[in-house]
Structures are given as C-alpha cells and as structure tokens.
Amino acid sequence: VDLLALFDTAPLTPEGMRADAGDPADVVWHTVAGLAGYAAAAKVDVEELRGLEPREQALAMLRKMDAPQLLPESRVDDVLALTGVRSANLQAQVDYQPKPYRDRLTYFRTAGSETAAGHSPGLDFWSVLALGGTTVHRVGGTHGTILHDPYVHELAEAILAAGDPR
C-alpha cells in the first residue's frame, strides 16, 4: 500500500459505542457534531436533549448552536437520516477490533473535528496503531463536509501531495 489515508475518523471505544447507541440524545448530539464540528456542538449540553422526540432533539441542537452557516434548521431531515445511519454504524462497530498497522498512516484532520480544546480524538486513536508513524494534514471543513464543495478540492490536493514520493 503506497498510501493508507484516513479522512477525519475514529472509532469509539466499545463502552462509548454501547452508551451512544443506547441513548438517542447522544446519537443526535454526535451526529450534529460530526456535521457542524465539535466546537460548535460544545455549546449544547446533551442533557438538554434528553426526553425530547428525535426531531425536537435535532431542532433544539441546531437552534442552540446558533450557527446557521454550518448547519441550518432546514437540514433537520438530513440530521435525522444521518442519525439512523450513525446508529447502524455504531452497532456494526461494537464487535470491530482494529489491529496495529505496520507502515505509515496519513491522517486528514478537519478543523471542525477538533474539540473546543483543539484536541483530535481520531488522530490520537489512529496514531497509536500506526507503527510506522503518522503524517497529519489539516484540511478545511468538518467530518460531515470534508467530501463536499469547497472542501473536497482542498482534500484532493492534499491527497495528491501526500501520495507524491518527491
């Protein structure tokens, strides 16, 4: 493999997956955070979402973030659809046990996926498993927008540069 690249991703711990998958408020919170960025989502306490119906959870989250340029209320149906996808993905991850990778890993981290403290859980997770080291490229967007205009163009340029042996 000439280039093993991961795009702004990190599996949760099995405990975290079970907790997240079992709590609809957590699933909505993490879905929105993945789309709008964790720094924006940090404005909302997941406890405020508990007890609400899923659509109301999503709307409350979008309103409290007060970041319509990142994720407007008009996308609430997208959030609900992706919440279902996230739940299914969490279920699939419960039994997955990643193994160390002997070569170098290239990790593309989005600005929006840094936590409010600038921490990147995905980078921390994969770096431990990459026995050949990790190369990091910071790109624009969020986990939910990295493959959309205009960010996908920046990502493509970074991939080409990462794969160029010169």
Side-chain angles (χ1 to χ4, degrees):
V1 174
D2 290 332
L3 176 69
L4 176 61
L6 295 177
F7 305 141
D8 197 56
T9 185
L12 298 171
T13 64
E15 298 79 20
M17 285 183 272
R18 284 186 198 98
D20 192 356
D23 185 342
D26 278 342
V27 175
V28 168
W29 192 95
H30 285 287
T31 299
V32 173
L35 292 168
Y38 283 85
K43 296 177 182 176
V44 181
D45 183 347
V46 72
E47 294 300 323
E48 299 174 52
L49 306 177
R50 298 199 199 291
L52 299 174
E53 293 298 316
R55 184 176 195 79
E56 291 306 312
Q57 288 174 333
L59 282 170
M61 181 99 185
L62 298 178
R63 289 174 183 145
K64 289 176 189 242
M65 282 189 331
D66 192 31
Q69 72 283 9
L70 294 174
L71 194 59
E73 285 184 40
S74 62
R75 293 209 40 218
V76 69
D77 290 329
D78 294 338
V79 170
L80 292 173
L82 290 171
T83 297
V85 170
R86 180 178 179 79
S87 292
N89 287 345
L90 288 168
Q91 199 61 40
Q93 286 182 11
V94 168
D95 294 326
Y96 175 69
Q97 295 296 321
K99 298 189 178 15
Y101 178 65
R102 65 180 175 87
D103 292 323
R104 179 164 284 287
L105 167 74
T106 302
Y107 187 85
F108 294 89
R109 173 173 105 176
T110 65
S113 290
E114 295 173 354
T115 62
H119 177 70
S120 179
L123 178 57
D124 294 345
F125 179 87
W126 294 115
S127 292
V128 170
L129 293 171
L131 303 180
T134 304
T135 301
V136 181
H137 296 271
R138 190 168 187 259
V139 294
T142 67
H143 180 76
T145 63
I146 189 173
L147 298 177
H148 299 281
D149 280 330
Y151 309 111
V152 71
H153 302 288
E154 179 183 349
L155 176 63
E157 288 177 19
I159 293 167
L160 291 172
D164 187 353
R166 287 182 262 152

